[in-house]
Amino acid sequence: IFDALLEAGFNRDCTVLALGGGVIGDMAGFASACFQRGVYFIQVPTTLLSQVDSSVGGKTGINHPLGKNMIGAFQQPQVVLADMSQLSTLPDRELSAGLAEVIKYALLGDKEFLVWLEANMEGLIARDEQLLAEAVYRSCAHKARIVANDEKEQGERALLNLGHTFGHAIESYLGYGEWLHGEAVATGMVMAADLSHRMGWISLEDLERTKKIISRAQLPIVCPKIPLDDFLAYMAHDKKVLNGQLRLVLLQQLGKAVITRDFDVELMQQAILAHQA
């Protein structure tokens, strides 16, 4: 991207337009943040995951072999244009990956949305445009509210990482692209819910409800076998590590998440091992 911009003689009044999924949006956004110290940026997300999550909020990042999204910048787009007709061409697996992030918003902050998803999951899987538009709108509204309060992730915004600390470990170990981001986050959310249950915060019924809605979205609730030491090592690279302490996003109840470092490491290990094939 830098080569193309420089070879074409663009200057600081140019606009970088990202047309594609989350990887394209992150890469183009990072380039626009860095080129001549920042140029205009427009997001046209073409996957469900990018429409509901990565295109909104201004986080841009690229992966490193030692950790996901370790290199990046905050770069707010001037416009985000989400066109539902783009979703008609998505592979089924990509659509489901996007639903993982939709489910995330319901679990972390909106039990009514969870009930709506439970009532409409088959329609979403069938690509009903009205239902998809409603899911995208409600997801973006949730993210916008949280980001407006905490743009640079100093506090509340970290709630949006529900399932991601576990999920990023899965992605990093398996190799980027082996599992889609949404697939890893789905299993990560199950691990987070499992740990929340083991800590006595949510009931077994709530854990099973979480697993069921994720399974109905045709997403995995277990990951391939990963040596525990490797899994924990990748978790230690997480951006939510503060003063050497890992912080996790866990569920106090369905529809209410918290960021905490107050968890039992042994219980966390049990939750990880319980959801490996």
Side-chain angles (χ1 to χ4, degrees):
I1 294 171
F2 292 142
D3 289 347
L5 290 168
L6 290 165
E7 287 167 5
F10 282 108
N11 53 34
R12 294 188 77 176
D13 63 3
C14 74
T15 298
V16 174
L17 189 147
L19 174 66
V23 171
I24 296 297
D26 266 24
M27 189 165 56
F30 180 63
S32 74
C34 297
F35 183 66
Q36 299 197 16
R37 298 189 178 87
V39 297
Y40 291 121
F41 174 44
I42 289 175
Q43 284 266 29
V44 187
T46 59
T47 65
L48 181 58
L49 193 146
S50 60
Q51 288 184 0
V52 301
D53 192 69
S54 60
S55 68
V56 183
K59 269 173 139 182
T60 68
I62 55 178
N63 297 333
H64 186 278
L66 294 180
K68 187 174 167 65
N69 292 337
M70 283 293 146
I71 302 159
F74 288 95
Q75 174 75 330
Q76 292 292 350
Q78 271 57 49
V79 175
V80 179
L81 177 63
D83 179 356
M84 295 303 101
S85 66
Q86 294 285 330
L87 303 180
S88 66
T89 62
L90 269 189
D92 291 342
R93 191 178 165 198
E94 290 276 1
L95 186 82
S96 289
L99 288 171
E101 296 283 4
V102 175
I103 293 167
K104 176 193 76 176
Y105 292 113
L107 291 175
L108 71 86
D110 190 347
K111 198 168 183 179
E112 284 184 18
F113 190 25
L114 178 61
V115 172
W116 184 87
L117 289 172
E118 288 171 329
N120 291 289
M121 185 54 70
E122 279 65 40
L124 291 166
I125 289 288
R127 304 173 196 246
D128 181 299
E129 278 202 16
Q130 281 191 310
L131 292 177
L132 285 169
E134 176 76 7
V136 171
Y137 178 82
R138 290 176 75 156
S139 298
C140 288
H142 275 293
K143 185 161 189 178
R145 177 184 57 78
I146 291 172
V147 171
N149 292 334
D150 179 22
E151 183 183 7
K152 299 293 176 69
E153 201 171 297
Q154 302 302 305
E156 182 187 7
R157 183 168 180 168
L159 290 171
L160 296 170
N161 290 306
L162 175 65
H164 284 59
T165 303
F166 298 102
H168 286 169
I170 296 168
E171 280 184 276
S172 299
Y173 180 83
L174 296 179
Y176 304 124
E178 190 65 31
W179 265 34
L180 297 176
H181 175 66
E183 294 169 337
V185 166
T187 301
M189 288 192 293
V190 172
M191 291 176 175
D194 187 308
L195 175 54
S196 302
H197 168 60
R198 290 172 193 270
M199 291 173 60
W201 289 3
I202 67 172
S203 66
L204 179 60
E205 182 183 0
D206 286 340
L207 172 58
E208 292 303 319
R209 187 175 172 187
T210 300
K211 290 160 73 170
K212 185 175 181 181
I213 190 65
I214 288 171
S215 293
R216 286 176 62 201
Q218 299 177 8
L219 287 160
I221 59 173
V222 296
C223 70
K225 187 78 175 166
I226 298 173
L228 186 58
D229 287 348
D230 290 332
F231 203 108
L232 297 176
Y234 278 113
M235 289 181 74
H237 283 294
D238 190 83
K239 295 188 297 299
K240 291 180 295 304
V241 171
L242 194 64
N243 299 324
Q245 280 193 296
L246 178 63
R247 296 179 300 155
L248 293 176
V249 183
L250 300 176
L251 297 172
Q252 280 190 326
Q253 59 191 57
L254 294 190
K256 185 178 180 184
V258 292
I259 307 149
T260 182
R261 64 187 74 182
D262 185 21
F263 57 88
D264 187 311
V265 174
E266 190 172 326
L267 292 180
M268 180 186 75
Q269 293 175 3
Q270 290 172 15
I272 292 168
L273 293 171
H275 296 284
Q276 295 193 16

